[in-house]
Amino acid sequence: MTVVKPDPSSFDLESVEWTVSSHSGGSGNCVRVGVQGGYVLVGDSQNPDRLPHVYTPSEAKAWLEGAKDGEFDFVFNL
């Protein structure tokens, strides 16, 4: 079953309480995460005018658990 997620522009992004990764370190790798309307929003904190990616909680959990297990470490070899 395919979930049709809302368009990122439909969210009130000004009211989202964003959390910025402590690993961003001011080097331009600025990731922020927020929750609104039952969805997880992932965006670029240096470019807040760019729309965030929208994920369901189960999608976000699957990605985070995979990252914790090292399943995506291949991206560090680019």
Side-chain angles (χ1 to χ4, degrees), residues 10-19 32-37 41 48:
S10 68
F11 292 97
D12 177 11
L13 299 176
E14 295 295 321
S15 69
V16 174
E17 291 187 31
W18 295 102
T19 299
R32 65 183 188 166
V33 177
V35 175
Q36 191 173 82
L41 309 176

Side-chain angles (χ1 to χ4, degrees), residues 46-69:
Q46 281 197 326
N47 296 289
D49 293 335
R50 288 186 184 166
L51 294 174
H53 296 280
V54 178
Y55 299 98
T56 64
S58 58
E59 288 173 326
K61 182 178 180 181
W63 189 88
L64 288 171
E65 293 298 327
K68 288 177 185 177
D69 290 342

